[in-house]
């Protein structure tokens, strides 16, 4: 593999470890960190105290991991905060400000039904990695992180609308806020979905990036029954251009039910966007100089509103996989272990369809209806990831599509990258 990027998984004694995941899995120009619980690494137990003490421990764990790979907190490009009680966000923010006093990354905040070990908060980070992961061959170690805000979308002192690094733009999750009034738009979930997508579009236009450069969309809904209404609006935005319509391009997608969202919103949408130009000092390339590769296989469930995997540069972004048998189109019989196996089989089928293997997975996101099922899920998980290499996130949700017990998505390395447009 000399001359190619390699997955670099690392752990430090200064942060909690569990044997099922790596604290950090780096590939090319990004470090993917496992979501951090408020666990004291010395005791292996949740810290005593309220939400502020828990948030501080989460950030201390992230800081320890970041420093163990010779980075600093300002190298973080995205923070995701999961809380059990949306009312705790203000307290979390007080702690957050002490770790990001000047530069603020892109950010997503969601209240979920449950978190592992009964924690009140869980925080994860995506970190820039300028030196890359070609063995013994440091890449452009002086890549510049580009931040941008526009008045045409909601602004916040706690987050940057988009943070670009290397070949990706990482957008803060967009609420259905009218940027002119600073308030939620009037109307039902359709109006809210349209506003959230308009905000994303405004951010992308402000950095001269087309809407169809989105490679992954994450939708957080407070009521999964609203999915059909959201999809109706979503279909008006994707595909966006005549080129995308000609090939019926839609991004990879994950839909998650949230227990609550900031400002009492019904929907919040997060986007990961390709950045063909790269960030300096990478050589300036023509727009779409690196091609977006979208792929579906019959060996995994197909959905007309999402692509199973979308590759750009050195990453493949997978849509969330439910425990659906692709032959029958139905949820498999059995309990959560059987459902976890099917979800992972679907991921494996997608990964293999693009000539990769599960060893190339750098991040796994698991959503379970019952957090108490996690032991059974882990039994299935170990068979697919025996080395525990990928970084991991686990959250409890109260509902999943098709009344499934589990849903899993993944980010996969793409050593060969995607080609230049001919």
């Amino acid at each position: 593999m000399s001359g190619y990027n390699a997955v670099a998984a690392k752990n430090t004694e200064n942060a909690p470890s569990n044997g099922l995941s790596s604290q950090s899995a780096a590939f090319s120009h990004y470090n993917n960190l496992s979501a951090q619980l408020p666990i004291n690494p010395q005791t292996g137990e949740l810290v005593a105290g309220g939400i502020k003490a828990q948030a501080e421990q989460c950030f201390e764990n992230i800081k320890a991991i970041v420093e163990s790979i010779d980075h600093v907190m300002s190298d973080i490009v995205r923070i995701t905060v999961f809380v059990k009680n949306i009312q705790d966000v203000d307290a979390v923010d007080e702690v957050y400000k002490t770790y990001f006093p000047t530069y603020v990354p892109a950010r997503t905040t969601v209240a979920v039904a449950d978190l592992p070990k009964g924690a009140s908060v869980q925080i994860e980070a995506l970190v820039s990695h300028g030196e890359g992961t070609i063995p013994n061959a440091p890449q452009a170690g002086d890549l510049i992180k580009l931040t941008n805000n526009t008045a045409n979308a909601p602004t916040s002192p706690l987050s940057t609308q988009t943070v670009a690094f290397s070949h990706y733009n990482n957008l803060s999750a967009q609420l259905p806020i009218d940027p002119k009034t600073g308030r939620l738009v009037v109307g039902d979930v359709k109006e809210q979905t349209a506003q959230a997508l308009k905000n994303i579009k405004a951010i992308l236009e402000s950095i001269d990036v087309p809407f169809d450069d989105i490679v992954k969309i994450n939708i957080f809904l407070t009521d999964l029954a609203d999915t059909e209404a959201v999809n109706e609006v979503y279909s008006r935005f994707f595909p966006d251009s005549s080129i995308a319509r000609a090939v019926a391009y839609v991004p990879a997608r994950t839909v998650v039910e949230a227990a609550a969202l900031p400002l009492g919103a019904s929907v919040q949408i997060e986007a990961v966007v390709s950045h063909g130009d790269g960030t300096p000092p990478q050589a300036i390339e023509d727009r779409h100089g690196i091609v977006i590769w979208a792929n579906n296989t019959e060996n995994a469930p197909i959905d007309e509103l999402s692509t199973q995997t979308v590759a750009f540069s050195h990453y493949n972004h997978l849509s969330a996989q439910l425990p659906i048998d692709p032959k029958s189109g139905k949820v498999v019989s059995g309990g959560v272990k059987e459902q976890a196996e099917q979800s992972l089989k679907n991921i494996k089928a997608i990964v293999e369809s693009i000539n990769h293997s599960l060893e190339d997975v750098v991040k796994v996101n698991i959503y379970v209806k019952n957090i108490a099922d996690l032991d059974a899920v882990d039994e299935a998980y170990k068979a697919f990831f025996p080395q525990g290499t990928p970084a991991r996130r686990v959250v409890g949700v109260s509902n999943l599509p098709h009344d499934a017990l589990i849903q899993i998505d993944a980010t996969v390395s793409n050593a060969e990258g995607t080609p230049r447009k001919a």
Side-chain angles (χ1 to χ4, degrees), residues 23-182:
Q23 293 165 352
S24 170
F27 188 81
S28 187
H29 289 140
Y30 280 95
N31 288 288
N32 299 267
L33 269 60
S34 287
Q36 292 301 302
L37 291 164
I39 293 175
N40 182 325
Q42 296 179 334
T43 66
E45 303 292 334
L46 289 180
V47 294
I51 185 66
K52 289 181 73 173
Q54 290 201 15
E56 184 173 358
Q57 185 64 56
C58 290
F59 281 115
E60 282 299 305
N61 292 342
I62 289 171
K63 186 179 180 185
I65 296 167
V66 168
E67 291 179 347
S68 75
I69 53 177
D70 298 322
H71 283 268
V72 294
M73 292 293 280
S74 60
D75 288 334
I76 292 174
V77 295
R78 178 193 291 284
I79 283 284
T80 305
V81 177
F82 294 100
V83 292
K84 284 183 66 174
N85 186 344
I86 199 69
Q87 300 301 322
D88 284 339
V89 172
D90 287 345
V92 172
D93 288 346
E94 284 187 49
V95 178
Y96 175 88
K97 292 173 188 175
T98 65
Y99 288 87
F100 301 100
T102 51
Y103 159 76
V104 285
R107 192 173 115 158
T108 297
T109 303
V110 181
V112 292
D114 210 349
L115 291 168
K117 298 186 179 297
S120 297
V121 61
Q122 177 177 252
I123 304 173
E124 73 175 29
L126 179 66
V127 184
S128 61
H129 191 56
E131 62 271 28
T133 56
I134 292 178
N136 303 314
Q139 293 163 277
D142 53 354
L143 286 171
I144 296 172
K145 184 168 73 264
L146 300 177
T147 61
N148 191 77
N149 287 303
T150 173
N152 294 325
T155 57
S156 168
L158 297 176
S159 64
T160 302
Q161 290 170 352
T162 180
V163 180
F165 188 80
S166 188
H167 286 135
Y168 278 96
N169 291 287
N170 300 271
L171 269 63
S172 288
Q174 291 301 301
L175 289 163
I177 295 173
D178 181 338
K180 294 180 180 179
T181 65

